[in-house]
Amino acid sequence: MAEAKTAICFIDHREHMEIDGRYLKDLEPATRNLIKGDYPKSKVTDFICDHDLLKYQLMRVDGMVNSDVKQTQKISRRLTKAMQSDDYDIVDVNDNLAKSLTFGQRVSDAVARFGGSWGFIGVFTFVLVAWMCINALHLFGMHFDPYPFILLNLALSCIAAIQAPIIMMSQNRAADRDRMSSENDYHVNQKSEHELRILHAKLDNLTQNQLPHSLEIQKLEIEILGQIRTELDMIQRNQLGNPKSGLNENPQQENENSSEKDS
């Protein structure tokens, strides 16, 4: 049967079986860099036992966990700050415009509302028909605007000339309202975009860093559990093979030895 190979650990300078340790060249770069930080003169051909390797594996696990926690906290602080930020000037458009209304603006809004309604069309139609009937049929003895109703045309032209700028004033106020609404929408979209970017950064950190780190930590945990199991088996073997221990002696043989001494 082939004899098991042994190697000397460069940390505790004891001889160990090769299955109870690993060479630095077989380790992951991150773990190897941790060891080189404490032992700069170590080489990739050096051997380290599982007992000493366990310390650096645990250090690596702690480092990855702390790094993920710090990155998550940093992104969470950015997201909280963005959600609590008050530098976006959101105003109530209707309330702001209502407080700044002048008398002329109120009149123009009222005229525009009435001029764009069926009530105005009905009243205007009734006035036109009555005007033409009175002057054409000489009702009530009145004949102040004979056909072709030149005075009516003049009145209609004056009404149209006055009504048009009044309606335009009201439309300008509507344009101001639309402009303020657009600015509000822009600020809201800007804030939402900023929050979405932070959320994307958080998801990217989760998928690109934390999930691979979790898998790597699980792998290291399995290796650490295997090393602990190996050390426990070695301790058990040493206890069973210790001749000084009274636990493994046969009681019957002990009685025979005592009877021989008595004889």
Side-chain angles (χ1 to χ4, degrees):
M1 186 176 182
E3 184 178 357
K5 294 182 179 180
T6 59
I8 297 177
C9 177
F10 75 97
I11 295 180
D12 60 8
H13 305 291
R14 294 181 181 179
E15 187 176 7
H16 300 271
M17 299 177 64
E18 286 189 350
I19 60 173
D20 295 332
R22 298 171 70 179
Y23 288 96
L24 295 187
K25 63 182 179 180
D26 298 328
L27 298 176
E28 293 82 1
T31 306
R32 187 165 59 244
N33 291 334
L34 287 175
I35 298 174
K36 283 184 174 292
D38 292 340
Y39 300 92
K41 296 182 180 180
S42 60
K43 302 176 182 178
V44 293
T45 56
D46 289 337
F47 178 82
I48 182 172
C49 62
D50 289 337
H51 180 76
D52 294 322
L53 179 60
L54 179 62
K55 168 188 171 183
Y56 293 100
Q57 288 176 329
L58 292 175
M59 288 173 58
R60 185 182 173 196
V61 171
D62 290 339
M64 286 189 290
V65 172
N66 292 333
S67 175
D68 292 341
V69 170
K70 289 181 180 179
Q71 186 67 17
T72 302
Q73 290 177 348
K74 180 180 178 181
I75 297 177
S76 298
R77 285 194 297 268
R78 287 177 56 194
L79 181 59
T80 303
K81 183 178 178 181
M83 296 179 67
Q84 295 177 350
S85 178
D86 294 331
D87 56 349
Y88 299 97
D89 189 16
I90 308 299
V91 297
D92 187 351
V93 176
N94 294 324
D95 183 65
N96 192 21
L97 290 176
K99 290 179 179 179
S100 62
L101 278 177
T102 63
F103 176 76
Q105 291 173 341
R106 294 178 187 275
V107 172
S108 65
D109 289 343
V111 171
R113 282 195 300 270
F114 179 71
S117 63
W118 283 104
F120 172 77
I121 294 175
V123 171
F124 198 71
T125 302
F126 174 77
V127 170
L128 290 177
V129 172
W131 184 296
M132 288 184 289
C133 289
I134 290 173
N135 287 278
L137 302 176
H138 302 279
L139 298 177
F140 310 109
M142 301 176 66
H143 187 60
F144 57 88
D145 187 20
Y147 183 83
F149 312 117
I150 298 175
L151 183 61
L152 177 62
N153 290 327
L154 178 62
L156 293 177
S157 299
C158 292
I159 292 174
I162 296 174
Q163 189 181 23
I166 293 176
I167 293 175
M168 289 182 64
M169 284 190 290
S170 180
Q171 289 178 347
N172 289 335
R173 286 183 44 75
D176 292 337
R177 180 182 288 105
D178 294 339
R179 177 182 56 80
M180 295 177 66
S181 298
S182 299
E183 290 179 356
N184 276 345
D185 294 339
Y186 170 75
H187 291 311
V188 171
N189 292 335
Q190 189 177 21
K191 185 175 183 179
S192 300
E193 181 182 3
H194 185 49
E195 293 175 2
L196 286 174
R197 285 181 178 178
I198 298 176
L199 288 175
H200 276 297
K202 196 169 187 177
L203 289 175
D204 291 340
N205 178 61
L206 178 64
T207 56
Q208 296 177 5
N209 295 327
Q210 292 189 7
L211 289 180
H213 284 178
S214 299
L215 296 175
E216 196 168 356
I217 289 172
Q218 290 178 1
K219 179 183 176 182
L220 287 173
E221 287 176 349
I222 294 174
E223 292 181 0
I224 291 171
L225 289 175
Q227 293 170 9
I228 294 174
R229 179 62 182 270
T230 302
E231 290 191 4
L232 290 176
D233 291 341
M234 289 177 60
I235 293 173
Q236 266 186 336
R237 288 198 302 267
N238 291 335
Q239 288 180 350
L240 292 174
N242 189 359
K244 295 182 179 181
S245 176
L247 297 176
N248 297 322
E249 292 183 355
N250 191 348
Q252 184 176 1
Q253 184 177 0
E254 184 179 356
N255 293 333
E256 290 177 358
N257 292 334
S258 60
S259 61
E260 288 178 0
K261 289 180 181 180
D262 294 337
S263 61

